[in-house]
Each structure stands twice: as structure tokens, then as C-alpha cells.
Amino acid sequence: MPVRSVEATAAQAQHTAEAKEDKRAQELPKASVPAPAVYEYLPEAASSAASAATQGPVESWWSFEQDGYVDSASGYLMEVRYEGDLGRAVALIYDPSTRSMVKVPDRTGHKPYFLTDMMINDDGGMPVNLNNYKSFSNLAVITKRNPLTGRDQKLTKVVVDDPLAVKTLRKVLTDKGFRVWEADIKYYLNYIYDNQLIPGMPYDVSTSWTPKEWRRSEDLEQAIKKDFAEDLKQMALEWAPIFEQPSPMPPMVAIDVEVLEPGEGHFPDPAKADDPVISVSLVDNEGRKQVLLLYRPGIEFTGEIRVNGEVEIFDSERALLLEALRRITRYPVVLTFNGDNFDIPYIYNRLVNLGVSHDDIPITFLQDYVTFKKSLHMDLHKFFDIKALQSYAYGNRYREKSLEAVAEALLGQGKRVLSKMINLVGLDELAAYNLQDAALTMNLVMFDNYLTWNLAVLIMRISKMGLEEVTRSQVSAWIRSTLYWEHRHRNLLIPSQEDISSMGSQAPRSAAVIKDKKYRGAIVLQPPQGVFFNVIVLDFASLYPSVIRNWNLSYETVNNPYCTNYIEVPEVGHRICSDRKGISSQLVGLLRDFRVKVYKKKAKDKSLSEGERRWYETVQAAMKVYINASYGVFGNEGFALYSLPVAESVTAIGRSVLLDTLHKASELNLHILYGDTDSLFIWDPPKEAMEEIIRYVQEKHNMDLDIDKTFRLVLFSGLKKNYVGFDSEGSAVVKGMVAKKSNTPDFIKDEVMEALKLLGSMQGPEDIEKTLVALRYKVQEIYNRLRRREYTLSQLAIEVMLSKDPKEYRKNTPQHVKAALFLAKEGVPVSKGDIIAFVKTKDKVGVKPVRLAKLSDVDTSKYLEYVRSAFEQFLLAFGIRWDELAGARKLVPE
DNA sequence: TAATTCGCGTTCAATG
DNA sequence: CATTGAACGCGAA
């Protein structure tokens, strides 16, 4: 939803919505447990404002609070914004000594600008006259090194008074045929880059920025000087403090808002805010829990539910909202779950509807999100939607990005279930429900010693983006930002995509295996079919990042005609410059070395405290997210430094390293069973040969080949990316199998896991026979249960995610979409990202949403097919087909 | 405003 | 009605 229009709509709605003020309560709600306080709204500063809060326009409700602007500050830099009213960048600084947020408008005189090749005439005049443009400030001649040519280049800096003017003036110049650079960078990021600031770190700021007592570690600096590559030492010393400095710990509050629902199947619209807010909850990181309720005739405390928090009842919705807002904005950091799209705009528009002036509401609508004038807003819905974090930091533990799903997966705690429609529940139940949501939101940031918060802070420091930006953008924006900052650090011109693509050939030189892909990826060896005892899995530690580092891969080092010395990439033939170090190669190398040589060790160092170890664990996790994505972004057309030859070279080198290692392995008479991208499965190897191959890879390729797993037993189905390994404790590692997939019904997953226990108990080949007998019995049992309908609907449910809105499916209508459309018809809203649970039915459509289905609708034979394919995958390892095991005739139901 | 390719299983829908 | 390629979702790396 375009946030700007929210504001406009609210403004228009303003005069229609007045005079909706709730009548004074005729009676107080009945006494309940705990006894609620009934408040009349009394602002702290002026009692004369008390009546104003419930009638007529509010005069200076907000301005009696300090606006927070200061000339100088000392504390953690959390965000930089551009404020149009001031016409300046404003830094938000968290000051730990007062535990508050202050705002420091720029005093360094920084202004928006962009670069062009239009040079000033000898007489000082301009080839294109920009003086007529209102926001034009001045021109300056500067010199930057062009990373593509490797040469210094004179450029004209076009300085303006307003970031919007960058857009106008760049067009003026490009229309005249001049080239422009760095015109797409958001102004506040330019401010950070030009001042070489590191968000998340402490500063003293007044007319200039000075780092404030950054923590250093003597030991670490020694280690860097000793262990890091020559070209990275200086950079590493400069970077080290960002991993050592403790993270800021400001007071935080999580909030959640409940609104009266407009009717069955309809949801409140934040753009209109027609329906009253009936409850606002605040839960902070020091244990305070508050809930502000709206009095409604007929809705009372039942006394049945204990509310774990302070409860207050307001007879005026406006007073409730203003008071809630007053409390919320005292906190430097505000957390929500979906606050960008719901809670915050709702509060804003609702207050406008209730007659409060825009200027009196300390909420601000920025370009991409909604926040507070003097506090930061972190929307966890956006944060947990960041794919790189989902997989590398949270281990893919959640799939759906709802509060319910994320909290259940990460905290083991769900939302409260309402006993009836929210409009009708008693006030105690409403309060408990509302509080629980805010508490879950707070916990998602605090669990595991503030893992989420610390991750955000570390990524701020690495990416050089403010908290609000970093928690709302994907990994490619982080990497772009880090690289831009490094370009400024080295006085390098940031090239345009066109500069990069026109430098050398961008055409792919390898054919992808899958159609519609741009270039070839990794090798997957064909595994055998069978049962193998004693299997060692070797894998390359961070193969692709190591390739990027060792081969000096970067957008400016690949196919660069300005280079004199080259190394050719095997198979694809791209030429890698060896004259100088590539910037992304260095960044990836730096993070990789920090992670491997320092922080993975520190995370396990028993001489450190538990708290320190957890911090370093988070540090290494943040680095992992970064380096793992570093290859992929170069293959993404949307990435600012997109370079197909870089991505293609990475995979080509990866393939050649794997193949060479494979070749060496066979020379050593090692029996390779399987391998995928960066791994090799070796059958019962002699120890010496293993040591030999590890040494070989180290010397020949300068890469770490590690023993990743030692399997007592591996079952190969004969399919790629599909096997089960058992370690010495008998616990199973299942890869790729039907039984592992999230869209497989639970009863199958459970039954397969049971069966795997049988298999895991095999000690040697002699046990195979009797295991098969047990398996046969198990399958028969499943069949019988299915036939007798002993599994519940939820065990039979198939859960599939809508990758787009149901209406967007044009070519096909998959089953989960059919079920989703069914739900939509029943008034249940369904949209992109939702997980649809359905069962297979005997009717013509063949599917039904679980919540609308009965056990008798279920088509048993379809489920038997599912069971078959799940079991067949590991039966294949024994060379047995399903029919042989189950006896085909017996298993045809009905 | 978007990290990549490789591989498998199920289902849809076009084709005859 | 059988066959087949494409669409789709999900996982491995």
C-alpha cells in the first residue's frame, strides 16, 4: 500500500469523522480481577489540556514534549534521516547516559549531490546553465579513481539544496548527453558514506563526528597482524572494533493495537481507520506490561481471565490513543509486528479522524515505512521476511511470516486463542489477548540474549545502514551499501551498471542445466543406489566465498581491458585481473577470515563468559549471512554491481576444484559415492588417504577441506540430493526426501521417522533382512490405520504456501490454490505468503481446505500413494520396490 | 524493492 | 483416454 496515500486519505476523511466522541460512561464496569483503574485523561504538563483531549482541537499536545533536537550528542548512531523541514540530514543518536534518543541536525554542512562528466568551462561558466533551478547550489571539481580503468578521473560535483533536486538535475544533464554517477544513492546513505560513519557505533557529534572510545582488543590486533593476508591487515584493524564494541541496549517497547472489526470476514482498513481502536498494549524490555482499553457499553470484565499486566480503561478513544502514543514515544525504540502496514498508520489516521491535527501526532510517514518523529520503529514482520536471515540466522525454523508462526517456531509460544469474535469478548480476555501479542513481539527481539537485536546491530555496522533501513531491506541492499561505503573510503567512483556491463563481455559462456537460467551452476554427482556402512563426508569450508577471495573475483577484475596481467578461469575463459585486488574479493575475504580465524573460535572459547560467547556466536552468524549471499548477488540483475561473469566464474571455479579433488581422490584409490557442489562422500576410507587429500586441497587450491560428517551408515536412493545418513549415535540426517518436505502430511513424516529408527538400529549388512521384515509390518499397519480413518484431519493436512495471490495464477490452478479459492469464497481472506492446509477428497474438485472438510470426505487411496512415494525413496536403497514390500493387491483400498 | 543454480515429485492442461 | 511438457513448490548446496 502506498504509504503516502494513507496520509492523504486521512486528511480528506478528517472532517467527516469528527463528533464520533464516545459518550461518557454511564456506569463503571463491574469490579473484576484485577480491579482496573478508570482514568480520565490528564496530560502531565498542563491540566488545561485535559478537556482539550476529549473535545475540540488539541493545542500543542505534542509540542509540550521536547522535540529532541540538540546541537551535540554523545552516543550510538542509530539512524540518519533527511528532514525536509530543516533541509538537513538528522542523525538519531541513542545516549546511554540518559537512556534516550536525541536528534542532531547536521552541522558539517553536508549537502545532496551527484557527479557528472560535464566539465566547467575555462571561464568558469557552465556548459548547461543550472542557475535557474531553485535548488541548485554549486559545482565543484573533484578527482576520483575509476575502479574500472584504475585511473584517476576529474569529475564535476553538482551540489544541490534538496535531495529531490538530484532527480531533476540529473535528467537535465543526461538529456544534454552528459553522463552522471552516484545519483541513485539515497541522501541519508550518502551522508553516512561521506562522513564514513558506522551506524550502531558510538560517537561524539557536534560540528564533526568523532568515534567515542571504541573497544579494541590487543589480542585480536596481534592475531590480525599475524594471521591475516597482507592486503587485508589494515582493513581488518579498522573493522575489528565493530565486532568487539558491545551493542547499545536502549529501552524498547513492543506495541500491539486491536480494532473493532467491521463485520464478519472484513478487516479494519488502516487507510480509512473507520473503526474504533479498542485496545492498545505495551510491553517493554524491563518487564512492564500495560494495556489501555476502551470502555464500551455492554462489554465487561468477566473475571474469568487473569490479565498479567497493568490495565487501564478509557472512556474516550481519543484520550486512549493520545495517552498510548505519549507513552510509546518515550521509548527510543518501538517494536511492532506489521506496524508499517497496520498499527502505526491506523493510530495516525484514527487520531486524524478523531480531530487531532497532523502536527500533533508524532508519527511520520517516510518513503518506505512509517515511524516516529523521535523514536525508531522496527517492524518485525519485515525483519523476519528477510530471506537470508530466515535461512542462515534462524535455520529455516519458520516458513510463514505471521506473528503466530514465527513466535511458535522461535519461542515455542503462540498467540492466545479468542473464545469468540474480538468485538464480543470480555475486557479481560481482550486485554490478555492484546498483551500476549505485544509480549510475543518483545520476546522475538529478546530471546537468546537479544539475538535478534544483536543481529540487527551487527548488520547495521557491517552494512553501514541505519536500524530502520537495515531491518527492512534484503541482503543485496546490505551488500551494496557495504561496498558503496568502501568505495568512498578508497575515494573510488561508484560505477553505474552500464559502466560495468560495457567494460567487457557479459555474455554467458556456460550453458545452464535448467532452462531459463543464465549460466551453469554446480556439479551434482550421480549417487549409487544402496546401503553403505562407514561413510565420511568431506566438504569445502565456504567454497564460493573462498573462490571469490582466492581468485580475486570482483566486478572490476573480471574481463577488464585495462588490466595487463590475467589469469584465465577454467571452462568459461573469463580473464581475471591480477594487477590489483578486487574490492568485493577483499570484502568477502575479510569477513571469511574474521569468521574462520577469529569468531568461530571465540564463540566456542570456554575461557570467555557465556554472554561473550553468545555475542561472538551472533557475530559469526552475521558474517555467515553476508558471505553466503556474496556470490548470489553478483548473479542478480537487480544488484547495483551485477556482474554475470563474476557469478559464472565462481561456479566454474567451484566445479573445477571439485572435479580436481575428485580426480585426486581416485588416484588415492578412495571410493567416492556421491558429491554435491562442495562435498564428497567417501566409502570407508583409510585415514592416511584422507589426510593426504585434505593436504592436497590445502596446497593446490588454498582451501580448507573439512570432515563434515562421519556416517556409520548411509542409505542412497539413487536419486540426487536424496539420502539418509546415520551417525554413530544413531540419529538420522535426512536430505531431500519426500518425508522431509513441509508439504508432506504429518502422519507420513511421523511414520517415516519411526521407520528410520528401525533402519538406524542396523549394525551391519547381516541386519538388513530382519529390518525389512519389520518395515513390511509397519507399512501394513499404516495401511490399516488409513483404511480405518484413524488419522486426524490435521495429520492428513497438506500444507502448501501461496507464492502469489490466488488470482495471479494464470497458467495453472494448483491444488492449494483451489483450496485457497474455496476459503476465499467462504469469506476467509487469503493472500500471497499464506500457507493453505487442505486434504484430498473424493469429490470432483479433489481437495478441500482442512477447516471446511470432514474426515469422511477424505480420499484414502490418494494418501496411500503418498505413503508409497515417501517409503519408496529409502526402500530403493535396499533395491526393493514398494509392491514387493507391501504386496500390491492387499493395499488397494475399498 | 529482488542472492544463485540444480534436482525431485505432483499436478495441470494441451495435444492427439 | 493416454501421453507429455510445463507449472509449481520445496529442498540441497
Side-chain angles (χ1 to χ4, degrees), chain A residues 360-622:
Chain A
D360 291 326
I361 308 172
I363 289 172
T364 175
F365 291 72
L366 302 184
Q367 206 161 39
D368 309 309
Y369 61 96
V370 190
T371 186
F372 300 93
K373 291 197 169 139
K374 211 182 73 167
S375 305
L376 297 175
H377 170 213
M378 177 168 169
D379 182 343
L380 297 185
H381 179 68
K382 295 250 170 74
F383 184 80
F384 285 106
D385 196 34
I386 298 172
K387 281 152 204 73
L389 289 181
Q390 212 176 317
S391 56
Y392 295 118
Y394 297 105
N396 276 323
R397 274 178 286 164
Y398 58 91
R399 195 154 63 116
E400 209 171 11
K401 270 84 53 175
S402 63
L403 177 59
E404 169 71 21
V406 177
E408 188 59 60
L410 300 181
L411 308 171
Q413 232 183 331
K415 285 163 69 90
R416 267 193 85 95
V417 179
L418 286 172
S419 63
K420 49 192 162 194
M421 187 197 187
I422 195 157
N423 297 7
L424 306 174
V425 297
L427 288 180
D428 36 6
E429 186 175 354
L430 176 63
Y433 175 81
N434 190 197
L435 262 181
Q436 171 77 351
D437 279 4
L440 290 176
T441 304
M442 190 69 246
N443 280 341
L444 283 172
V445 169
M446 289 177 72
F447 82 103
D448 270 9
N449 279 23
Y450 284 89
L451 167 68
T452 297
W453 174 254
N454 287 339
L455 257 180
V457 168
L458 281 162
I459 297 167
M460 283 166 71
R461 293 176 182 175
I462 300 174
S463 71
K464 278 73 179 176
M465 296 164 84
L467 178 77
E468 296 181 324
E469 287 289 308
V470 94
T471 55
R472 286 173 176 80
S473 43
Q474 297 287 339
V475 65
S476 72
W478 305 342
I479 295 180
R480 177 188 64 202
S481 183
T482 309
L483 286 170
Y484 281 6
W485 194 94
E486 279 296 321
H487 278 73
R488 289 278 158 84
H489 192 57
R490 303 166 189 210
N491 195 34
L492 293 171
L493 173 66
I494 296 169
S496 66
Q497 278 206 1
E498 194 197 332
D499 292 339
I500 297 173
S501 61
S502 62
M503 178 178 68
S505 164
Q506 296 292 302
R509 299 192 197 168
S510 59
V513 170
I514 298 172
K515 84 164 177 62
D516 295 338
K517 297 293 179 193
K518 293 178 293 232
Y519 58 91
R520 179 163 293 228
I523 290 175
V524 186
L525 302 179
Q526 184 62 55
Q529 199 178 72
V531 181
F532 297 85
F533 289 86
N534 299 328
V535 176
I536 304 277
V537 183
L538 295 178
D539 81 347
F540 290 87
S542 305
L543 176 69
Y544 287 176
S546 305
V547 166
I548 291 173
R549 169 64 186 154
N550 292 354
W551 284 71
N552 196 32
L553 297 180
S554 193
Y555 71 86
E556 80 280 22
T557 56
V558 177
N559 298 340
N560 187 331
Y562 296 92
C563 264
T564 47
N565 298 297
Y566 298 99
I567 298 171
E568 219 164 79
V569 177
E571 193 180 334
V572 291
H574 294 302
R575 303 209 291 178
I576 317 291
C577 179
S578 44
D579 297 353
R580 52 201 162 90
K581 297 289 182 185
I583 190 165
S584 32
S585 169
Q586 286 190 316
L587 176 66
V588 171
L590 181 80
L591 292 176
R592 196 201 76 103
D593 284 1
F594 262 126
R595 178 160 181 264
V596 175
K597 295 183 179 178
V598 182
Y599 290 107
K600 276 180 105 170
K601 290 176 187 158
K602 283 201 177 198
K604 293 203 169 71
D605 186 344
K606 286 284 180 340
S607 72
L608 299 172
S609 73
E610 167 76 13
E612 286 172 311
R613 286 205 302 273
R614 279 177 184 250
W615 167 257
Y616 290 128
E617 178 59 34
T618 311
V619 168
Q620 78 84 19

Side-chain angles (χ1 to χ4, degrees), chain A residues 825-877:
Chain A
K825 212 174 64 190
E826 297 292 316
V828 184
V830 282
S831 56
K832 179 176 167 169
D834 290 348
I835 290 174
I836 308 297
F838 63 92
V839 290
K840 302 234 186 198
T841 55
K842 287 177 288 193
D843 57 14
K844 213 173 81 191
V845 191
V847 293
K848 233 180 211 182
V850 165
R851 50 199 290 189
L852 303 174
K854 295 192 297 283
L855 209 47
S856 58
D857 296 332
V858 171
D859 184 343
T860 310
S861 63
K862 293 267 175 46
Y863 280 92
L864 196 63
E865 276 304 295
Y866 258 108
V867 174
R868 185 186 66 76
S869 63
F871 273 79
E872 201 154 57
Q873 285 188 333
F874 56 87
L875 289 178
L876 282 170

Side-chain angles (χ1 to χ4, degrees), chain A residues 399-401 799-803 809 816 833-836:
Chain A
R399 195 154 63 116
E400 209 171 11
K401 270 84 53 175
E799 296 186 331
V800 181
M801 185 183 285
L802 287 171
S803 65
Y809 290 82
H816 66 296
D834 290 348
I835 290 174
I836 308 297

